[in-house]
Amino acid sequence: MPDMPATTGERRPPKGFKAAIRRAVARKFFKYLVSKTKNFSHTTWLGRPIWQNLFDIQTIQETIVDLQPALIIECGTNLGGSSMYYAHLFDLLAAENRLQSGRGRIVTIDIEKMHDLSHPRITYLIGSSTAPEIFAQVKAMADAAAASGPILVILDSDHSMKHVRAELELYAPLVTPGSFCLVQDGVIDVLPNFAGGRPGPLPAIHDYLKTHPEFEIDRERCERYLITHHPDGWLRRK
Ligand SMILES: C[S@@+](CC[C@H](N)C(=O)[O-])C[C@H]1O[C@@H](n2cnc3c(N)ncnc32)[C@H](O)[C@@H]1O
């Protein structure tokens, strides 16, 4: 909708005022949405729990379709909904003959097994994402997949700054050029609803970027749907 023309004598709002109002309204809506949905903890994908902000899984879907990763590495399986969602996206692309050969596998890691799901595209690993024996298995899968296509990393496990920083050090180097490391849930450091969990992913991201100029924040992806659980979370490997 076009802006109303200013009438004679009308005092124009100061520069940036409208943008600030829009941001404040979005933030208010976001706070309410998080409390109304109990932080998306009852969201489902095909009847199974998936613990994701709906706006963000749309951005992830668009990225997966554009990128067609050979391998998605997910830290934080939980009830298995997100890895199943990624597998189903690959299945849909394959059903339309749009999935490139050698693409479409997922490895997902959790300290605990909380589901009885299985899917031919998904490898489930149990253990800490930062444990050497777990990382060695993921690294072997990444080395094997890198010749077939992009590797996308999604960090959604323990969201403490220390753990995320350690995961970034281990997993970001597995990202292929042009692909992404999505660091989830920097919202913890931004919305008052999550103040108890700080410091979280956001300072870990900023600290990592200080010494890793091979990555840049993809602002278009971070801000695509105005509200996001992953502020500054889409790190693109140049
Ligand atoms: C936010 S949930 C993941 C949600 C899931 N990706 C989804 O969208 O449905 C975080 C998960 O990380 C797991 N976790 C916590 N610490 C971990 C660690 N050190 N390594 C791997 N997983 C961990 C928890 O057990 C929990 O299931």
Side-chain angles (χ1 to χ4, degrees):
M1 183 163 320
D3 287 340
M4 294 289 286
T7 54
T8 319
E10 181 188 349
R11 273 207 287 154
R12 285 178 185 278
K15 211 169 171 211
F17 180 75
K18 272 192 195 165
I21 293 286
R22 286 193 192 110
R23 276 198 301 276
V25 170
R27 193 177 158 84
K28 195 124 191 116
F29 168 72
F30 192 18
K31 276 170 65 180
Y32 181 50
L33 184 64
V34 165
S35 78
K36 171 77 175 69
T37 62
K38 297 192 168 41
N39 193 28
F40 295 93
S41 54
H42 301 303
T43 304
T44 56
W45 166 251
L46 296 185
R48 291 171 184 136
I50 177 171
W51 201 352
Q52 296 282 325
N53 173 327
L54 300 183
F55 293 90
D56 291 317
I57 52 171
Q58 175 63 16
T59 309
I60 295 173
Q61 179 270 129
E62 291 172 355
T63 304
I64 288 174
V65 172
D66 284 352
L67 203 63
Q68 298 218 352
L71 180 67
I72 297 176
I73 299 166
E74 179 189 59
C75 296
T77 313
N78 196 248
L79 299 171
S82 50
S83 48
M84 194 57 79
Y85 172 69
Y86 310 144
H88 287 157
L89 294 178
F90 287 130
D91 287 346
L92 289 170
L93 282 169
E96 291 187 6
N97 289 321
R98 290 166 60 204
L99 187 63
Q100 294 177 47
S101 156
R103 310 288 179 97
R105 292 205 55 84
I106 299 129
V107 55
T108 181
I109 306 146
D110 207 295
I111 42 173
E112 221 184 305
K113 187 168 189 291
M114 293 177 235
H115 60 87
D116 58 1
L117 304 177
S118 67
H119 188 286
R121 295 186 184 278
I122 308 178
T123 303
Y124 297 96
L125 298 180
I126 302 299
S128 176
S129 54
T130 52
E133 63 279 12
I134 292 290
F135 179 70
Q137 291 178 68
V138 179
K139 171 93 169 57
M141 291 180 76
D143 289 345
S148 308
I151 295 177
L152 171 67
V153 168
I154 299 178
L155 303 182
D156 188 23
S157 70
D158 172 348
H159 296 306
S160 66
M161 179 188 175
K162 192 166 170 239
H163 188 76
V164 176
R165 187 65 184 78
E167 282 186 332
L168 273 166
E169 209 59 58
L170 285 172
Y171 289 95
L174 303 184
V175 173
T176 47
S179 183
F180 301 90
C181 178
L182 170 60
V183 186
Q184 296 205 315
D185 289 305
V187 70
I188 286 171
D189 299 290
V190 174
L191 273 200
N193 314 42
F194 304 109
R198 293 175 194 166
L202 209 48
I205 293 169
H206 294 154
D207 187 58
Y208 182 77
L209 289 178
K210 276 185 211 159
T211 49
H212 292 275
E214 71 275 21
F215 281 94
E216 63 189 359
I217 295 170
D218 184 324
R219 301 239 166 252
E220 153 64 20
R221 277 189 167 71
C222 295
E223 291 160 18
R224 186 157 172 74
Y225 293 108
L226 204 60
I227 56 170
T228 178
H229 267 54
H230 319 316
D232 290 358
W234 282 97
L235 306 185
R236 183 180 172 279
R237 186 162 196 169
K238 297 176 194 165

